[in-house]
Amino acid sequence: MDKIIEFNNEVNKNIENIANDKKLKKQSLDWNIASAQYNYTYNFRSLGRPIIQFPQDIVAVQELIWEVKPDLIIETGIAHGGSLICYASMLALLDMCDAIESDSILDPKQSHRKLLGVDIDIRAHNRKAIEAHPMASHIQMIEGSSIAPEIIEQVRKVAKGYERILVCLDSYHTHDHVLEELEAYAPLTSVDSYCVVFDTVVEDMPADMFPDRPWGSGNNPKTAVWEYLKTHPEFEIDKSIQNKLLITVAPDGYLKRIS
Ligand SMILES: C[S@@+](CC[C@H](N)C(=O)[O-])C[C@H]1O[C@@H](n2cnc3c(N)ncnc32)[C@H](O)[C@@H]1O
């Protein structure tokens, strides 16, 4: 058998086996819950900017960006800008790969690819650092609530100019908010691309885990995903991603657009 196919088959088998390993899955969730008390996701940087993600999810999005090769990534929830910078740097790498493959000269500041970020509160020091970053030429930011009609309209207008769109939802983690985001932005996802809904793991955590937050068990991004999928058969949960990651903030949150 072809060695590459053989290796891929082995990995797929590993992932299937993990999916059936209830003990390992529980241990992974226990670790996730235990690390949350130290705000573990705050510990990382992408090209110098704080990114509030598990390293595993960063790798998963990197794999999706390579697979989908989006020309537009829409992300709600900017915070310090780390995820914007991270995904923008992957778009810049796609530009570089295109230039190498087509044997053309690349102007790294000119790109047909874009990272569009939306946040209700882009703090001045974060905006300054993002705008001063070398990846800024790939980034556009919109300030406002991601579910405000005028913001949705602005995002839709930008999206009109793009063909392959990937969406990441990582802003306010209540059921109602995420459901409204899904209604507004998931339809912009291209077929065979993904809408990634972060922090679905809140549903699997103890009910008293976030006493100072409005979200918790029964009211969180995962419950919104489940509600949305009832009437949106064009999306399905790509369980193979959470199975291979084990440690993820987005179980049931990697939604693939299949039609
Ligand atoms: C979890 S952080 C985003 C983390 C970022 N994506 C990263 O990976 O580093 C959530 C962000 O959502 C923003 N946010 C809260 N409510 C929002 C709303 N209604 N619309 C848009 N953004 C909102 C907050 O200001 C905060 O910056």
Side-chain angles (χ1 to χ4, degrees):
M1 190 192 279
D2 177 280
K3 289 289 171 199
I4 294 175
I5 295 176
E6 195 177 316
F7 183 70
N8 287 345
N9 288 347
E10 185 189 328
V11 173
N12 288 337
K13 191 78 210 150
N14 287 344
I15 295 170
E16 272 173 46
N17 289 339
I18 291 173
N20 295 323
D21 189 334
K22 287 198 178 123
K23 188 173 165 208
L24 182 58
K25 283 168 125 177
K26 179 169 183 315
Q27 286 169 330
S28 303
L29 180 61
D30 286 346
W31 184 91
N32 192 332
I33 291 166
S35 69
Q37 65 183 309
Y38 300 106
N39 283 332
Y40 175 79
T41 52
Y42 289 11
N43 293 352
F44 306 97
R45 301 281 180 280
S46 177
L47 282 68
R49 294 303 301 157
I51 177 168
I52 306 173
Q53 297 295 346
F54 275 159
Q56 284 85 343
D57 288 307
I58 298 172
V59 173
V61 175
Q62 178 266 143
E63 289 190 15
L64 293 183
I65 291 174
W66 181 254
E67 186 185 317
V68 171
K69 302 202 168 38
D71 51 8
L72 179 67
I73 299 176
I74 298 165
E75 177 161 65
T76 64
I78 296 175
H80 305 263
S83 54
L84 258 63
I85 301 279
C86 181
Y87 309 154
S89 73
M90 294 171 194
L91 294 180
L93 284 175
L94 290 181
D95 289 347
M96 196 176 93
C97 292
D98 285 350
I100 291 168
E101 280 171 3
S102 62
D103 206 8
S104 52
I105 303 289
L106 174 70
D107 176 352
K109 281 191 180 165
Q110 301 294 328
S111 177
H112 68 288
R113 295 191 164 94
K114 181 182 284 190
L115 191 304
L116 178 61
V118 178
D119 200 294
I120 197 166
D121 179 17
I122 308 175
R123 307 238 163 112
H125 60 284
N126 288 330
R127 179 187 284 283
K128 201 173 155 201
I130 297 165
E131 287 176 347
H133 197 280
M135 282 301 130
S137 59
H138 281 71
I139 293 173
Q140 180 182 342
M141 292 182 282
I142 298 175
E143 187 162 48
S145 174
S146 55
I147 57 168
E150 66 278 12
I151 301 295
I152 295 170
E153 195 42 44
Q154 281 183 58
V155 173
R156 284 194 183 136
K157 249 192 202 150
V158 173
K160 275 204 179 103
Y162 293 86
E163 281 173 9
R164 298 188 64 73
I165 302 179
L166 190 144
V167 174
C168 296
L169 304 179
D170 191 22
S171 68
Y172 195 68
H173 303 310
T174 60
H175 175 98
D176 289 348
H177 184 85
V178 178
L179 191 56
E180 283 196 51
E181 281 190 330
L182 280 163
E183 297 289 358
Y185 302 117
L188 301 176
T189 311
S190 310
V191 174
D192 292 328
S193 180
Y194 284 76
C195 175
V196 184
V197 184
F198 288 98
D199 275 343
T200 46
V201 75
V202 170
E203 174 67 7
D204 309 324
M205 295 183 138
D208 58 354
M209 189 88 193
F210 305 98
D212 55 341
R213 304 283 199 177
W215 48 83
S217 185
N219 172 14
N220 56 67
K222 192 188 269 187
T223 57
V225 163
W226 290 341
E227 183 71 30
Y228 184 75
L229 291 183
K230 283 181 194 164
T231 50
H232 291 275
E234 69 275 22
F235 283 96
E236 69 177 20
I237 297 169
D238 186 343
K239 294 253 185 193
S240 73
I241 298 180
Q242 68 206 55
N243 288 337
K244 77 174 163 190
L245 296 180
L246 277 171
I247 291 170
T248 173
V249 298
D252 287 10
Y254 286 90
L255 308 183
K256 183 167 187 174
R257 179 144 196 193
I258 52 171
S259 62

